[in-house]
């Protein structure tokens, strides 16, 4: 099947998420021993090929971009509630899942949400924003996206960073290895600590766990933290040379929040490289209920038509 860039992106997000979810928060020796690109079965008992919050919320963002509605906090919150309620998925943080269960509209969501998180929930759903052609719009939308749930300098910066990595790749603004400068420029003025972290990562030739994961997580992997996740994405995309299979494997080997890292990275690399380099089970066994594989393909088609 010939897929366009939008479809590749959405399927990349879901495949990275569904595969990465089986290795989430597991000790490194276990991951490296059991990481086989041969089935969706990993180290936990997830149903094969099911995606998590990363994909579901990215679908919500994509659906709002396709709709004729304005990209506002209200409309996006409404989409988050709608997408969860019509097809509840596992993988959300427990507290946030309980919150989604408890609200019935976007208005109620915004009224009751505690939006001061610095975790990676805004970053993980920002990849679809990269398709927009105007960088100012992307930064504006990425800020709106973060402000609903992660209205902190770090939460906002992580959302802008991921959206601009996606934009850079989608519109082929340069080579993968040169991704850092574009994103650092796009994040100027948002959060000094994040920017100096991205700068330090850029200047390192090889992986330094202590730097990438932070002192408290050096033995653990990518924490569920917006700044660290954005840094891991910059690092992996900059080193990827467009190799999707290797990028998926490396995303998992970093450990920690593997589904978010793999979802973002695979969504971005798949845009131009497609999915053909991946073992076919990743596509064939991806969930395909009402909002699964075929739905993502149709959503990508609609996004490209828009
Ligand atoms: Mg997840």
């Amino acid at each position: 099947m010939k897929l366009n860039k939008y479809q590749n992106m959405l399927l990349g997000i879901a495949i990275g998420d569904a595969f990465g979810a089986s290795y989430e928060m597991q000790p490194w020796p276990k991951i490296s021993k059991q990481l086989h690109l041969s089935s969706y079965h990993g180290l936990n008992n997830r149903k094969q090929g099911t995606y998590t919050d990363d994909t579901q919320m990215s679908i919500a963002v994509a659906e709002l971009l396709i709709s004729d509605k304005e990209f506002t906090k209200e409309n996006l919150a409404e989409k988050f509630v709608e997408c969860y309620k019509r097809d509840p998925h596992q993988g959300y943080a427990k507290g946030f899942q309980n919150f989604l269960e408890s609200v019935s509209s976007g208005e109620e969501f915004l009224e009751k949400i505690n939006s001061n998180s610095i975790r990676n929930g805004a970053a993980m759903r920002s990849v679809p924003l990269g398709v927009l052609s105007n960088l100012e719009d992307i930064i504006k939308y990425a800020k709106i996206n973060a402000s609903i749930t992660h209205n902190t300098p770090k939460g906002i910066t992580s959302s802008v960073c991921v959206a601009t990595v996606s934009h850079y790749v989608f519109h082929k603004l340069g080579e993968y290895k040169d991704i850092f400068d574009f994103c650092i420029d796009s994040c100027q003025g948002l959060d000094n600590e994040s920017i100096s972290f991205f700068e330090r990562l850029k200047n390192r030739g090889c992986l330094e766990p202590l730097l990438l994961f932070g002192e408290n997580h050096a033995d653990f992997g990518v924490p569920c933290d917006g700044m660290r996740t954005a840094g891991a994405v910059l690092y992996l995309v900059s080193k990827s040379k467009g190799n999707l299979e290797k990028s998926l494997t490396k995303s998992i080997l970093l450990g920690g929040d593997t589904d978010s890292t793999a979802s973002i990275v695979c969504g971005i690399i798949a845009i131009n490289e497609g999915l053909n380099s991946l073992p076919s089970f990743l596509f064939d066994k991806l969930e395909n209920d009402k909002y699964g594989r075929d739905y993502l393909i149709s959503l990508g088609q609609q996004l490209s038509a828009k």
Side-chain angles (χ1 to χ4, degrees), residues 20-21 23-28 31 120 213 217 219-224 251-261:
Y23 299 90
E24 193 184 10
M25 307 299 171
Q26 300 287 337
W28 271 316
I31 296 179
N120 58 11
F213 309 139
H217 302 271
D219 297 326
F220 163 83
V222 183
C224 297
S251 300
I252 312 281
L253 286 174
L254 285 187
D257 192 6
T258 46
D259 57 321
S260 296
T261 310

Side-chain angles (χ1 to χ4, degrees), residues 17 24 52-54 91-92 124 257 259-260:
D17 182 10
E24 193 184 10
T52 76
D53 51 345
D54 307 68
Y92 284 88
M124 75 181 190
D257 192 6
D259 57 321
S260 296

Side-chain angles (χ1 to χ4, degrees), residues 73-193:
K73 280 171 75 160
E74 292 72 19
N75 289 333
L76 188 55
E78 188 70 35
K79 269 286 168 207
F80 291 154
V81 175
E82 180 194 328
C83 287
Y84 177 73
K85 298 273 181 195
R86 73 188 185 192
D87 183 29
H89 264 66
Q90 297 304 314
Y92 284 88
K94 225 28 254 114
F96 189 58
Q97 183 158 17
N98 292 340
F99 174 76
L100 283 171
E101 294 280 357
S102 75
V103 297
S104 53
S105 68
E107 199 183 339
E108 194 186 354
F109 181 114
L110 291 179
E111 243 172 57
K112 296 187 173 164
I113 188 81
N114 177 357
S115 62
N116 62 4
S117 175
I118 60 164
R119 289 164 62 99
N120 58 11
M124 75 181 190
R125 58 185 188 239
S126 294
V127 174
L129 295 174
V131 308
L132 300 171
S133 50
N134 182 327
L135 183 61
E136 271 171 38
D137 285 344
I138 290 174
I139 294 174
K140 184 175 142 200
Y141 287 15
K143 286 179 178 172
I144 291 169
N145 170 46
S147 69
I148 298 178
T149 48
H150 299 71
N151 200 14
T152 54
K154 287 198 169 49
I156 290 169
T157 308
S158 67
S159 176
V160 169
C161 177
V162 168
T164 53
V165 176
S166 172
H167 174 73
Y168 175 95
V169 172
F170 195 94
H171 297 279
K172 296 189 176 172
L173 301 182
E175 294 183 47
Y176 293 107
K177 68 177 174 56
D178 299 324
I179 194 89
F180 273 100
D181 287 334
F182 181 77
C183 291
I184 289 169
D185 282 352
S186 305
C187 292
Q188 283 305 326
L190 297 177
D191 179 53
N192 289 340
E193 196 184 328

Side-chain angles (χ1 to χ4, degrees), residues 184-209:
I184 289 169
D185 282 352
S186 305
C187 292
Q188 283 305 326
L190 297 177
D191 179 53
N192 289 340
E193 196 184 328
S194 298
I195 289 172
S196 94
F197 172 61
F198 299 156
E199 290 279 8
R200 275 177 291 146
L201 282 176
K202 178 188 130 183
N203 294 327
R204 297 294 199 280
C206 57
L207 175 65
E208 284 179 36

